[in-house]
Amino acid sequence: MTIELRPLTAADAEAHCAGEDALTVRWLTGGYGDVEGTIKFFEQLTQNATTGTGKRGFGIWNSDRLCGYIDYTPDLDDGLDPEDVALAYAVHPWARGQGIAVQAVHLICNTLRTTKTGTRAAIRVEPQNTASVRVAQKSGFTYIRDFPSNRDTHPDGTPTTFSLYLLDL
């Protein structure tokens, strides 16, 4: 199986929203998206790519079917050093367990190397998110430490604890 990453467009918003489930909401988004809001988010990602600032996101495609999402944020400072680039990803339920996230992480790291963006890729993951921990490990990332977030909180207001995994680019 070969996957590819492509910038997301308004035409992808419905399939993107349809791929969200309770695990996506729990570990990544914090809430279900709607098509209108998703289109605005994709437009912001396109603008960020144009200006070379902020989060850049891509659809993960397998045989011309959208099967997930991956992004990178070069300026996230929550638990990261200045040259670290944060990665985040989600795979649609029907495509999980096939190694798609690991392939997508490899592809996005190649993009970071090619564009000379950052010196290390970083995956910040809640330790209880065992699937994402496995992706970090299978992608060759090294566990560094756990830390309390200075931005993300649980519904009760307590800081989210993340495990930090890094990979030299």
Side-chain angles (χ1 to χ4, degrees), residues 34-157:
D34 60 44
V35 172
E36 182 179 314
T38 300
I39 290 170
K40 288 180 183 174
F41 177 63
F42 291 172
E43 289 169 349
Q44 182 63 54
L45 292 173
T46 299
Q47 184 172 340
N48 291 353
T50 300
T51 62
T53 59
K55 181 184 305 256
R56 279 44 91 54
F58 303 87
I60 304 170
W61 298 86
N62 181 15
S63 301
D64 284 328
R65 184 174 181 195
L66 182 65
C67 62
Y69 168 83
I70 190 164
D71 68 40
Y72 69 88
T73 307
D75 55 1
L76 182 65
D77 61 359
D78 185 21
L80 304 180
D81 289 339
E83 288 295 312
D84 294 344
V85 180
L87 307 183
Y89 44 82
V91 175
H92 296 173
W94 62 266
R96 291 184 185 140
Q98 301 175 40
I100 289 172
V102 171
Q103 286 186 55
V105 167
H106 286 299
L107 289 173
I108 205 76
C109 287
N110 287 339
T111 297
L112 295 173
R113 286 181 194 100
T114 300
T115 60
K116 297 182 181 1
T117 303
T119 58
R120 296 186 301 188
I123 294 177
R124 302 170 336 127
V125 58
E126 290 184 59
Q128 300 84 2
N129 185 348
T130 56
S132 195
V133 168
R134 280 193 308 276
V135 169
Q137 294 167 338
K138 288 181 178 181
S139 298
F141 284 63
T142 301
Y143 169 79
I144 302 300
R145 62 180 160 76
D146 287 352
F147 68 93
S149 176
N150 62 25
R151 308 174 53 159
D152 297 295
T153 59
H154 294 289
D156 67 1

Side-chain angles (χ1 to χ4, degrees), residues 4-26:
E4 64 179 319
L5 305 182
R6 293 187 220 154
L8 292 156
T9 68
D12 305 321
E14 190 172 328
H16 177 80
C17 290
E20 292 180 328
D21 69 347
L23 291 175
T24 305
V25 169
R26 166 68 180 97

